[in-house]
Amino acid sequence: MTVSRVLRNRGDVSAATRERVLTAAKELGYVPNKIAGALASQRVNLVAVIIPSLSNMVFPEVLSGISQILEDTDLQPVVGVTDYLPEKEEKVLYEMLSWRPSGVIIAGLEHTDAARAMLKASGIPVVEIMDTDGNPVDAMVGISHRRAGREMALAILEAGYKKIAFLGTKMPLDHRARKRFEGFTEALAKSGVEVCEREFYSGGSALAKGREMTQAVLERTPDIDFIYYSNDMIGAGGLLYLLEQGVDIPGQIGLAGFNGVELLQGLPRQLATMDACRLDIGRKAAEIIARRVTEESVDTEIALSPTISYGDTLRRP
Amino acid sequence: MTVSRVLRNRGDVSAATRERVLTAAKELGYVPNKIAGALASQRVNLVAVIIPSLSNMVFPEVLSGISQILEDTDLQPVVGVTDYLPEKEEKVLYEMLSWRPSGVIIAGLEHTDAARAMLKASGIPVVEIMDTDGNPVDAMVGISHRRAGREMALAILEAGYKKIAFLGTKMPLDHRARKRFEGFTEALAKSGVEVCEREFYSGGSALAKGREMTQAVLERTPDIDFIYYSNDMIGAGGLLYLLEQGVDIPGQIGLAGFNGVELLQGLPRQLATMDACRLDIGRKAAEIIARRVTEESVDTEIALSPTISYGDTLRRP
DNA sequence: TTGAGTGATGTTATCGCGAACATGATTCAG
DNA sequence: CTGAATCATGTTCGCGATAACATCACTCAA
């Protein structure tokens, strides 16, 4: 018992015994068994973080925001990856919940019924992140992708572009990309404009895909004057390709991506984009969990507002 | 007890009761408590994976290799990030070991004494990955970065380059980058060549840094004819910069990076590089853990051989 | 001198499950 | 028809810590 007190800095222990315990522990290479500790105390200092992918760069950044905040608490993030598959999300969630974490941060608002039920039944704080177009189980932090698509559409129209193409990922599973696309086409439609070309990819090097798709749509429809990419990586690929072709950007063709990834800073031209507030989303989500764990109550719906960065590839209004 | 048997598919349970249990569990939203299960069975199906960073792209790929293999077992990876800090590594390791995982996969061979002691004392399989220049606590899977540096040096010399610069990360904490650099300079020295310029960065967008540093060294030493970058991202930045400047590559200046990242495929020219076998490292490491957990004994030292890819930026021999 | 207060340490029960063994029912070979 | 094997289910105990309470020694004010 005294050992337990020393190792947790709890209760009164004389300096002498504390010292003895500490040296003995070091000597024996003793590592306390958190499993037993958690079972006895009914507390687990883990926060389940469930995201679709680690190779998207977006998610490591969210994670980094989460870590920043949790580092000042005794909570620890544990990551699960779903590969954008609802069934895998359900499985991962089940696995994580069976460890009785102190909270869950999960990407997206779309989950299987079973997953949603588990989240509700878990009795722990749940923050759904990235997206705010929908109803959260508990709390949510993110941006409206529909609005992001709309705003980009308006900026493009305002800049005078008319023949607009959309290049993106195959979207059945990426709801946020889908919502951006929907918002985008909606806003164009209101001005009587229709996307004149669209192309979707999956897998492969995004940069290379951006090139290929850009080339493909321009071959089919040479008079395109704007291309909206569903992410910056393929946008960067397209930008590199068009520059090589000697196309005047943003005069002849304008370009925009989405995410505001750091990578863009090294490109020959700054691609127009929209910041997805990734770091902030992670931080805010972690804050909600941290507060909730300490019994405070908090705002549960936070919609951040991304702003357009015009870069060098979209004429300013 | 019967419930336990049903939920773990162990022992005999009649189809009827199994059914009853399953429906009851679903109805109640029952999620078994792994904490108690682990405590009772002394088995935890987690594998601790400890890596320096998630934003390096190298590590997500290693992780993906690990996941691929572990998916066919009942093991699950749990990731800890150290930010290249030895003390944080120690802390993360301690935290993870206190959950009594079934195995540890940890990047690098350099750890604090305490960390090494914990690994030894843990009594579970430990695989140190990425690097083979040193002595593992238990098993190791990786490539020799020293040799990678040497081989690149030889290829460069063979191609006839003479004024060679090195651009990389600030290395005190990135031992693998350091070893590559050491192998590189060593091999050059054997041919009486010395690196004529070197520059190190930390933080920021790697692509942008690659540009800046390339510009900087060329301003200082305009007659450089080869630049070896410690990773592909800064190499890509340098490549983009030099192409903009209208430099003849690989005639006037040759370039090479390291890692073989997918990104390169979308660049205007293919950067010379060396594959770090990331996916393979992850797979092999996971295999070792999986085998060991099932009592099989396995090879414990696996050195993979990366090969040079000449791309378009290094003259072929 | 006393007894309340505090500081340091010990004791016991408990967390929710699984291992090991126990039990009762059924099957089946000889 | 019997005894052994098999199947289905139940019982008991213990995993390694913590919560809650208990104990004992000591201090100090009234």
Side-chain angles (χ1 to χ4, degrees), chain B residues 194-254:
Chain B
E194 213 172 310
V195 168
C196 68
E197 267 288 356
R198 61 184 75 178
E199 183 130 341
F200 305 101
Y201 79 102
S202 66
S205 155
L207 210 57
K209 287 288 175 186
R211 277 174 182 276
E212 290 168 24
M213 292 198 295
T214 303
Q215 179 171 18
V217 297
L218 281 175
E219 267 164 21
R220 286 205 300 268
T221 315
D223 58 339
I224 283 171
D225 68 359
F226 199 94
I227 308 180
Y228 180 38
Y229 297 90
S230 81
N231 68 62
D232 286 337
M233 276 305 251
I234 55 173
L239 173 62
L240 289 175
Y241 170 75
L242 292 173
L243 288 177
E244 279 166 40
Q245 301 298 310
V247 173
D248 167 27
I249 293 174
Q252 186 182 341
I253 301 185

Side-chain angles (χ1 to χ4, degrees), chain B residues 46-68:
Chain B
L46 302 176
V47 176
V49 179
I50 300 177
I51 54 180
S53 156
L54 280 172
S55 42
N56 196 322
M57 282 317 291
V58 173
F59 298 106
E61 278 190 58
V62 173
L63 272 183
S64 130
I66 292 174
S67 303
Q68 281 176 21

Side-chain angles (χ1 to χ4, degrees), chain A residues 74-236:
Chain A
D74 62 349
L75 295 172
Q76 277 213 327
V78 180
V79 180
V81 172
T82 70
D83 293 325
Y84 288 99
L85 302 174
E87 320 84 55
K88 193 162 176 199
E89 179 183 86
E90 191 179 313
K91 201 185 116 199
V92 167
L93 180 62
Y94 184 83
E95 286 286 323
M96 306 207 93
L97 285 183
S98 69
W99 287 102
R100 301 290 189 268
S102 293
V104 177
I105 296 176
I106 186 167
L109 292 162
E110 285 76 16
H111 315 291
T112 65
D113 287 344
R116 205 183 305 274
M118 281 190 268
L119 288 171
K120 276 206 187 103
S122 69
I124 55 177
V126 173
V127 185
E128 289 168 278
I129 56 170
M130 311 306 290
D131 189 0
T132 58
D133 296 318
N135 296 313
V137 168
D138 178 4
M140 94 184 152
V141 180
I143 64 172
S144 163
H145 287 262
R146 240 182 265 282
R147 190 178 128 201
R150 270 203 309 273
E151 289 189 359
M152 186 56 86
L154 295 179
I156 292 168
L157 291 173
E158 213 167 308
Y161 297 103
K162 301 253 153 57
K163 289 278 280 185
I164 299 166
F166 179 91
L167 305 187
T169 46
K170 287 218 170 63
M171 294 175 297
L173 298 166
D174 185 343
H175 298 283
R176 291 171 291 286
R178 193 200 73 224
K179 289 172 182 174
R180 283 199 300 281
F181 181 58
E182 288 170 2
F184 186 69
T185 50
E186 231 170 68
L188 290 185
K190 269 194 190 143
S191 300
V193 176
E194 213 172 308
V195 167
C196 70
E197 267 287 356
R198 62 184 74 178
E199 182 132 340
F200 305 100
Y201 78 103
S202 66
S205 154
L207 210 57
K209 288 289 175 187
R211 278 175 181 274
E212 290 168 24
M213 291 198 297
T214 303
Q215 180 171 15
V217 297
L218 280 175
E219 266 164 21
R220 285 205 300 269
T221 315
D223 59 337
I224 283 172
D225 68 1
F226 199 94
I227 308 180
Y228 181 38
Y229 296 89
S230 81
N231 70 61
D232 285 338
M233 276 303 251
I234 55 173

Side-chain angles (χ1 to χ4, degrees), chain B residues 4 8 30 33 40 43:
Chain B
S4 168
R8 287 179 302 145
Y30 172 75
N33 187 327
R43 274 184 290 96

